[in-house]
Amino acid sequence: MGIIALNNTIMKTRISVIYGNNIKKMTQTLLQAENAAERIGDKTASIVLKPNLVLYSDPAQGATTHTEIVEGTIEYLNDNGFRRITVAEGAWIGASTEECFRKLGYYDLRERYGIRLVDTKKDEYVKVSPCGIPMEVSRTLMEAGFIINMPVLKGHCQTQMTHAMKNLKGCISDKSKRDFHRLGLDLPIAALNTVLRSDLTISDSICGDLDFEEGGNPVETNRMMASDNPIILDAYAATLMGYEPEEIGYLKEARKLGLLESGEWEISELSKPIPSESGPKGTAKRLSVYTEPDEACSACYASLIRALRIFKEEGGNPGNMKIAIGQGYKGKTIKIGVGSCCSEATINVPGCPAKASDILTMLRRL
Ligand code: SF4
């Protein structure tokens, strides 16, 4: 549980978390746990699904939403009598949304389920000015009856992390995207979230990229999350990436704008973390030399890799450090270990899985 902003009334926001390999089934379990059908209510509602298709890239590279999440959601909605379903997205400037739709299977989804696809680069726009920042927002999103946001939890070279709040940037015109960058992203992203509210967020934290929005350094986590509060969900996600919520600029702006109705979250864990199968790639793989995994779960291992990355960026030197992690260390006396499996370690970061922000604190102390 964590706190980001406080007023006199503290309410807890539930975040459902699930681990596994069957992405479609995990999606549907999350939707059931969040009572999505009851929340939408009106069977004739226009439901918009907003994945992250920043550019064409295989989801295994850690940049784009796994198509199984979109498909699992469409099936869930159809099974519950909802038929007006649109998938809307706009790739980043210079990339083609249509290429993403074509290569990632969205035209097949349209064929099979009769959904509508909208490239927000070509949509009509509604002009709004939240916080005095003019922006052109996709009419499809503005007029949606229910928005299901489907971000990827990953690193970002400017905002440190990108997730639910920033994923809505795909709903504005390319002109507005340029304006956002000119204004430094943080305040515009928070402002956009005052006019476009994600009714439900289904987070793809399966193998998000460690550093970059465009992928290439995926870190397997095999985790998905869901919440009706995208801002609290981002605050929690920040801790999984190794940051305190207040270190993320757009969360800080969100707090100033009073977007946080409550400051606490509680985790509802629908399944337990699972062992890693493939391990990290790219930059993340180089960081693995400081680790000694033995039956490590992917979520725990990803936290360790993320903490090591930030520590090195800060100028920290792990030297010859070998950090134990995994179920193989249960009951063993070791020097440094991460996660509750290594509770016998002289220096231990508790948690199942351990949080990257806690591991980073341990590394700084050492
Ligand atoms: S503490 Fe152990 S069981 Fe829990 S996530 Fe980490 S490795 Fe897995």
Side-chain angles (χ1 to χ4, degrees), residues 128-135 183 187-195 253 256-257 259:
V128 289
S129 292
C131 308
I133 302 173
M135 55 184 83
L183 295 169
L187 179 58
I189 289 169
L192 174 61
N193 277 266
T194 66
V195 290
E253 297 296 343
K256 284 189 214 158
L257 294 176
L259 288 181

Side-chain angles (χ1 to χ4, degrees), residues 103-118:
K103 292 185 175 171
L104 293 173
Y106 286 79
Y107 289 137
D108 293 343
L109 292 181
R110 183 170 67 184
E111 189 84 2
R112 270 185 286 141
Y113 299 102
I115 58 160
R116 193 165 73 105
L117 291 178
V118 171

Side-chain angles (χ1 to χ4, degrees), residues 273 296-297 300 326-327 339-341 351-353:
C297 298
C300 224
Q327 299 178 50
S340 50
C341 289
C352 179

Side-chain angles (χ1 to χ4, degrees), residues 203-320:
S203 164
D204 181 341
S205 177
I206 297 291
C207 59
D209 186 282
L210 185 71
D211 295 311
F212 302 116
E213 198 178 4
E214 63 266 43
N217 299 303
V219 183
E220 188 188 59
T221 314
N222 293 318
R223 173 179 51 212
M224 290 180 62
M225 303 179 280
S227 175
D228 64 353
N229 188 323
I231 296 141
I232 293 287
L233 184 59
D234 272 7
Y236 172 61
T239 68
L240 299 176
M241 295 290 283
Y243 303 106
E244 292 304 323
E246 292 286 343
E247 289 180 80
I248 305 299
Y250 56 81
L251 277 170
K252 219 168 164 176
E253 297 296 343
R255 185 175 66 80
K256 284 189 214 158
L257 294 176
L259 288 181
L260 293 157
E261 298 142 9
S262 71
E264 290 194 11
W265 60 79
E266 62 182 357
I267 302 300
S268 167
E269 207 172 59
L270 306 180
S271 66
K272 289 289 171 199
I274 63 166
S276 171
E277 282 179 358
S278 65
K281 296 185 177 64
T283 312
K285 189 168 184 169
R286 289 198 283 283
L287 293 167
S288 66
V289 298
Y290 305 110
T291 70
E292 252 171 359
D294 184 359
E295 297 176 45
C297 298
S298 42
C300 224
Y301 196 57
S303 292
L304 176 54
I305 292 290
R306 287 182 173 128
L308 280 165
R309 197 271 312 220
I310 296 172
F311 183 61
K312 293 250 314 174
E313 266 182 11
E314 290 174 348
N317 179 10
N320 296 324

Side-chain angles (χ1 to χ4, degrees), residues 290 304 307-308 311 321-324 335-339 346-350 354-366:
Y290 305 110
L304 176 54
L308 280 165
F311 183 61
M321 198 183 285
K322 290 281 184 191
I323 303 173
K335 202 171 164 197
I336 309 173
V338 159
T346 311
I347 300 167
N348 173 241
V349 179
K355 281 197 298 193
S357 53
D358 294 340
I359 301 170
L360 186 60
T361 303
M362 180 271 288
L363 288 170
R364 285 172 180 153
R365 281 193 189 135
L366 282 176

